[in-house]
């Protein structure tokens, strides 16, 4: 059969693609998606976003990932948009200024790195420049807060905002190509503090939520309905409800046909009423915005029987400029701990200021100054949590979690079971000595 014949015979029920899940909480499974699944998701997106043939997309994520496949490939092409493909994750900054995109799909890790780079760049900037920047952010915050409640700026406030835009915001936007309308974030929770920081600088991040099994978008924030700290409202052709145990359930034409040659696994996630069980825990607020709490299988149950969601803890800790990656641990243990990969670049600057010269990452993570710094950072970001949730002890890794070692998925999500296995000796050491490295034994 020729290609044109296959196209002519294709229907909405025809299989379009088979995408294997990342396996972050289990074995990878082949997700069967039809033309109808993806088209329904495109139709849902068209109702919430206004794309046109003048828009330019910069593609960063792999096309093997359904988020980029649907959002940065099918969505853009079906609207006549122009697509550019980043040369690598390391060249994204250069590529942004080269192609001046109007839309960029990415994962929260990119924003965390951008935020860290901005903050650390300010630390070595002249004092006057620092003051101007933070003054600009304060004006942006004021403007953003008034916008949220539909309150107009006064004449004086408008003047201040225009000055802040010229001195601060325009320079940040120029580094992103100068034409960016929106960043679209998915694949993992975006820390609210980081989303709001960029919003204050005039850069809007629209966060959404979905899974490979749902083609993928279930919810999204839009220019007209935006609430940071949430993943937005359900698409018009998607139904959501929260089960008694807090799990998010979804129904709609975008839900997969099933797992490839795995009927048993399919029945485990799609019930007799057609509801797909996402495996995520969440809440719907009074306005219909969805907030993700954690993965159902990621919930840690301490030896004292306390249920702890690791994602909020990890997201809080990642706000530190000195921390690059973190995995919170504590299932069946008597306290919560964390395996942390420091930001060695930022630690280098910190140590340089103190005239401390160390050779290699191993030496850095063993130095008392570094251990104390990271402990203090973690303790600072744990203040908002209950005593039983807080990280009590940490261990530092001399290397990043990597895709090659099976510790990260292509979208940079941590594969918990593989990290636990690869760092088992380090993790066991955390609990073998309950005194060394404890942030606060009395918490």
């Amino acid at each position: 059969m020729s290609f044109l014949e296959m196209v002519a015979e294709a229907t909405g029920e025809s299989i379009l693609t088979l995408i294997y899940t990342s396996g972050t909480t289990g074995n990878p499974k082949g997700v069967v998606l039809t033309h109808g699944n993806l088209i329904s998701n495109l139709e849902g997106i068209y109702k919430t976003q206004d794309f046109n043939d003048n828009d330019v997309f910069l593609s960063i994520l792999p096309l093997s990932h359904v988020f980029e496949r649907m959002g940065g490939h099918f969505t853009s092409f079906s609207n006549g948009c122009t697509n550019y493909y980043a040369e690598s994750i390391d060249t994204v900054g250069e590529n942004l200024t080269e192609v001046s995109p109007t839309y960029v799909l990415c994962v929260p890790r990119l924003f965390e790195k951008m935020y860290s780079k901005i903050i650390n760049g300010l630390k070595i900037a002249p004092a006057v420049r620092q003051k101007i920047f933070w003054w600009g952010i304060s004006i942006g915050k004021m403007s953003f807060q008034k916008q949220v409640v539909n309150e107009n700026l006064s004449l004086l406030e408008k003047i201040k905002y225009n000055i802040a835009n010229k001195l601060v915001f325009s320079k940040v936007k120029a580094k992103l190509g100068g034409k960016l309308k929106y960043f679209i974030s998915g694949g993992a929770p975006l820390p609210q503090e980081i989303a709001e920081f960029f919003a204050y600088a005039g850069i809007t991040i629209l966060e959404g939520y979905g899974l490979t099994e749902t083609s993928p978008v279930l919810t999204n924030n839009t220019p007209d309905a935006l609430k940071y700290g949430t993943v937005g409202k359900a698409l018009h052709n998607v139904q959501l409800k929260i089960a008694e145990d807090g799990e998010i359930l979804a129904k709609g034409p975008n839900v997969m046909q099933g797992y490839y040659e795995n009927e048993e696994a399919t029945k485990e996630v799609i019930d007799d009423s057609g509801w797909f069980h996402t495996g995520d825990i969440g809440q719907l607020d009074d306005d219909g915005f969805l907030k993700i709490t954690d993965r159902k299988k990621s919930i840690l149950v301490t030896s004292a029987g306390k249920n702890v969601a690791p994602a909020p803890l990890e997201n809080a800790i990642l706000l530190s400029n000195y921390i690059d990656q973190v995995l919170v641990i504590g299932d069946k243990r008597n306290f919560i701990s964390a395996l942390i990969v420091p930001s060695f670049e930022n630690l280098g600057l910190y140590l340089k200021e103190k005239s401390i010269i160390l050779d290699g990452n191993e030496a850095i993570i063993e130095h008392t100054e570094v251990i104390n710094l990271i402990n203090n950072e973690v303790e600072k970001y744990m203040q908002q949590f209950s005593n039983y949730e807080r990280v009590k002890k940490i261990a530092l890794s001399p290397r990043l979690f990597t895709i090659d070692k099976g510790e990260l998925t292509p979208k940079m999500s941590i594969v918990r079971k593989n990290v636990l296995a690869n760092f088992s000796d380090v993790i066991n050491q955390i609990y073998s000595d309950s005194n060394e490295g404890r942030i606060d034994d009395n918490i």
Side-chain angles (χ1 to χ4, degrees):
M1 182 181 293
S2 69
F3 174 73
L4 292 178
E5 288 173 332
M6 286 190 290
V7 171
E9 290 190 7
T11 68
E13 301 301 315
S14 301
I15 295 175
L16 170 65
T17 187
L18 180 64
I19 301 178
Y20 275 80
T21 62
S22 58
T24 52
T25 58
N27 293 325
K29 295 179 286 289
V31 177
V32 179
L33 298 175
T34 66
H35 289 267
N37 288 148
L38 271 295
I39 289 173
S40 72
N41 217 218
L42 290 174
E43 291 172 343
I45 292 298
Y46 293 162
K47 291 281 188 179
T48 66
Q49 301 289 342
D50 184 22
F51 302 107
N52 61 66
D53 56 11
N54 292 319
D55 281 317
V56 176
F57 280 66
L58 176 63
S59 182
I60 296 173
L61 302 173
L63 286 173
S64 59
H65 190 274
V66 69
F67 178 39
E68 186 67 57
R69 179 95 65 91
M70 195 286 294
H73 189 70
F74 294 135
T75 299
S76 60
F77 287 165
S78 62
N79 283 279
C81 306
T82 300
N83 261 53
Y84 289 88
Y85 295 89
E87 297 164 77
S88 74
I89 194 66
D90 297 324
T91 63
V92 169
E94 298 172 23
N95 298 152
L96 283 166
T97 56
E98 287 173 341
V99 307
S100 298
T102 55
Y103 288 93
V104 180
L105 276 67
C106 48
V107 293
R109 192 73 194 114
L110 177 66
F111 302 117
E112 292 164 1
K113 284 184 172 292
M114 288 170 59
Y115 174 80
S116 178
K117 188 172 184 178
I118 292 171
I119 299 302
N120 283 296
L122 283 170
K123 288 181 179 179
I124 59 176
V128 173
R129 184 179 166 192
Q130 293 184 41
K131 289 181 179 179
I132 291 174
F133 181 86
W134 289 116
W135 173 81
I137 292 296
S138 70
I139 298 300
K141 181 177 181 179
M142 174 273 298
S143 174
F144 175 79
Q145 291 176 336
K146 286 204 167 187
Q147 182 181 349
V148 169
V149 296
N150 295 316
E151 184 177 337
N152 294 325
L153 297 179
S154 67
L155 177 60
L156 178 60
E157 289 169 339
K158 287 180 180 178
I159 293 172
K160 288 181 177 180
Y161 185 86
N162 289 335
I163 294 172
N165 184 53
K166 184 175 182 179
L167 296 179
V168 181
F169 309 153
S170 63
K171 292 179 172 57
V172 176
K173 292 175 182 177
K175 291 183 179 297
L176 302 175
K179 296 182 179 180
L180 187 72
K181 293 180 180 178
Y182 304 106
F183 275 117
I184 299 176
S185 179
L190 174 67
Q192 183 174 347
E193 294 86 349
I194 290 180
E196 290 177 344
F197 171 83
F198 282 103
Y200 301 157
I203 298 165
T204 303
I205 302 173
L206 301 176
E207 185 179 9
Y209 163 70
L211 301 90
T212 306
E213 292 90 339
T214 58
S215 302
V217 183
L218 290 172
T219 70
N220 67 347
N221 279 286
T222 71
D224 299 322
L226 173 60
K227 186 179 291 188
Y228 288 122
T230 78
V231 292
K233 296 182 178 182
L235 300 185
H236 80 280
N237 53 1
V238 169
Q239 298 178 60
L240 292 181
K241 70 176 182 179
I242 306 299
E244 290 185 3
D245 62 357
E247 184 175 8
I248 302 163
L249 308 185
K251 183 187 286 189
N254 57 319
V255 174
M256 67 172 182
Q257 302 306 294
Y259 293 119
Y260 182 65
E261 294 186 349
N262 197 336
E263 186 176 348
E264 182 179 349
T266 301
K267 289 182 177 180
E268 288 178 0
V269 297
I270 301 179
D271 63 29
D272 294 338
S273 299
W275 288 98
F276 172 71
H277 294 238
T278 65
D280 289 312
I281 304 296
Q283 302 167 345
L284 283 167
D285 69 14
D286 293 338
D287 297 318
F289 286 86
L290 178 67
K291 182 173 184 177
I292 308 296
T293 306
D294 214 319
R295 287 291 293 171
K296 188 174 181 179
K297 292 183 179 178
S298 294
I299 299 296
L300 308 175
V301 183
T302 67
S303 58
K306 297 287 189 179
N307 287 2
V308 178
L313 305 177
E314 292 165 349
N315 289 335
I317 292 171
L318 285 171
L319 291 174
S320 169
N321 292 325
Y322 298 108
I323 296 173
D324 209 345
Q325 295 172 325
V326 60
L327 182 74
V328 168
I329 305 156
D331 196 46
K332 300 180 178 63
R333 307 279 193 170
N334 61 342
F335 60 86
I336 300 299
S337 67
L339 176 62
I340 290 174
V341 181
S343 172
F344 291 102
E345 179 181 355
N346 295 341
L347 280 180
L349 296 174
Y350 173 82
L351 293 171
K352 184 178 180 180
E353 290 178 356
K354 295 184 172 294
S355 300
I356 299 174
I357 300 174
L358 299 172
D359 185 18
N361 292 351
E362 290 281 1
I364 290 175
I365 66 171
E366 292 174 358
H367 197 279
T368 302
E369 188 74 33
V370 170
I371 294 172
N372 290 339
L373 171 66
I374 301 298
N375 272 331
N376 290 337
E377 288 289 289
V378 173
E379 184 174 6
K380 177 174 68 175
Y381 290 108
M382 287 295 99
Q383 294 305 309
Q384 61 183 294
F385 298 100
S386 302
N387 287 344
Y388 71 87
E389 294 176 295
R390 296 178 187 173
V391 171
K392 304 296 199 303
K393 187 177 177 183
I394 64 172
L396 304 181
S397 167
R399 69 165 181 84
L400 288 165
F401 306 147
T402 68
I403 294 176
D404 291 344
K405 294 182 182 296
E407 297 154 354
L408 296 178
T409 69
K411 66 175 182 178
M412 308 305 287
S413 299
I414 293 177
V415 183
R416 174 173 290 272
K417 64 179 184 295
N418 290 350
V419 173
L420 293 175
N422 293 351
F423 289 85
S424 59
D425 290 344
V426 177
I427 293 168
N428 288 334
Q429 185 62 38
I430 293 177
Y431 292 94
S432 66
D433 184 348
S434 61
N435 294 315
E436 183 180 355
R438 286 292 287 273
I439 292 174
D440 185 348
D441 288 323
N442 296 317
I443 291 178

